[in-house]
Amino acid sequence: MRPPNGIEFDFAGHLAFFQSFLRDPAIVGALSPSSPVLARAMIDGFSLSNADTVVELGPGTGAFTGPILERIGRLATFIAMELDPASVRTLKRRFPDLNVYNDSAERMLDYLALHGKKRAKYIVSGLPWANLPIDDQMRIMDIIVKGLSPDGVFTTFAYVHALWLPNARQFRRLLKSRFAHVETSPVIWANLPPAFVYRCSHLDRSLIGHKATSPGVR
Ligand SMILES: C[S@@+](CC[C@H](N)C(=O)[O-])C[C@H]1O[C@@H](n2cnc3c(N)ncnc32)[C@H](O)[C@@H]1O
């Protein structure tokens, strides 16, 4: 289906995503997949053709996966980790060669090791952080910190309407406690709902391998 603006509308993908949302709203965390505009903002400035290892956490039905696969080098290792089995089936159908694992982002290091890798240059996350309790946020963030290359970049997004939620504010503080640079993109109004991207780099290396402390809930 092609609307007047020429951008392909993936009806089947939206339907599959919505069905996953109905089955587990807290885990899926959105009614529909992210837009192509948000997908581009998530990988803006990435040198994907030169990247050795790339990880996607919470790919859903593949809104970011497609653009990553289009740009990534032929020899790169690309791993996707998705908790929802139906989304994993959709991903396998859409991208037959994708290394997608039906497991939690918390096990990212095990799957990197399975591919003979310790760290990724880029980690792209679609995880619904604002729905996650602080302990879960911290556990997954510690894995991301351990699995990101020293010169790597981590991107994730947040919905504007959910910014006031305690867990969303907590997540922002968590990012700032783990990365020296946390940039935010302009709001992407074309996404439904409107969202922006966090682009994080320069890990605080002192936290790696140590038990990280909570940035505190205010
Ligand atoms: C907001 S949706 C984003 C999907 C997709 N990236 C997009 O932007 O359209 C969040 C996705 O994260 C997945 N998810 C939630 N918790 C997860 C976890 N611990 N490990 C892996 N995937 C998870 C959900 O199943 C869902 O597909």
Side-chain angles (χ1 to χ4, degrees):
M1 189 182 297
R2 192 178 281 276
N5 63 8
I7 296 172
E8 194 96 9
F9 182 78
D10 173 16
F11 180 77
H14 276 68
L15 184 63
F17 194 101
F18 185 60
Q19 285 168 336
S20 290
F21 170 80
L22 291 179
R23 275 191 298 274
D24 203 335
I27 291 284
V28 173
L31 291 165
S32 59
S34 296
S35 63
V37 193
L38 179 56
R40 278 197 296 278
M42 289 287 283
I43 56 174
D44 186 35
F46 283 14
S47 183
L48 282 170
S49 57
N50 300 321
D52 175 70
T53 308
V54 179
V55 174
E56 184 179 5
L57 305 175
T61 50
F64 307 152
T65 319
I68 292 171
L69 282 169
E70 280 164 22
R71 292 161 176 81
I72 206 164
R74 211 168 38 85
L75 299 177
T77 300
F78 179 31
I79 297 171
M81 311 224 20
E82 171 54 58
L83 214 46
D84 174 46
S87 295
V88 171
R89 284 195 293 276
T90 302
L91 287 165
K92 285 187 171 159
R93 205 168 44 244
R94 286 187 72 189
F95 313 109
D97 296 331
L98 178 69
N99 297 309
V100 55
Y101 298 105
N102 187 194
D103 208 336
S104 171
E106 292 173 52
R107 296 204 51 214
M108 179 184 82
L109 297 178
D110 298 335
Y111 288 96
L112 277 173
L114 196 66
H115 287 263
K117 306 289 179 186
K118 273 179 107 166
R119 298 205 172 98
K121 167 84 176 174
Y122 299 116
I123 302 180
V124 175
S125 161
L127 299 177
W129 295 102
N131 291 359
L132 297 180
I134 169 67
D135 285 352
D136 292 1
Q137 287 185 4
M138 285 186 59
R139 214 172 32 252
I140 298 175
M141 188 53 67
D142 286 345
I143 298 296
I144 290 169
V145 165
K146 283 190 184 129
L148 189 67
S149 298
D151 62 345
V153 180
F154 167 64
T155 55
T156 188
F157 71 91
Y159 295 123
V160 175
H161 71 271
L163 266 186
W164 59 273
L165 292 174
N167 286 8
R169 289 172 25 226
Q170 164 61 39
F171 179 64
R172 194 183 180 93
R173 282 195 292 277
L174 181 59
L175 286 177
K176 289 187 171 169
S177 73
R178 299 298 188 266
F179 295 92
H181 287 176
V182 178
E183 294 165 17
T184 51
S185 75
V187 172
I188 295 154
W189 297 104
N191 196 71
L192 284 178
F196 64 88
V197 174
Y198 287 115
R199 183 189 164 92
C200 311
S201 58
H202 295 116
L203 287 166
D204 181 346
R205 306 306 298 171
S206 64
L207 293 170
I208 298 169
H210 294 87
K211 188 162 171 38
T213 50
S214 165
V217 184
R218 260 170 273 141

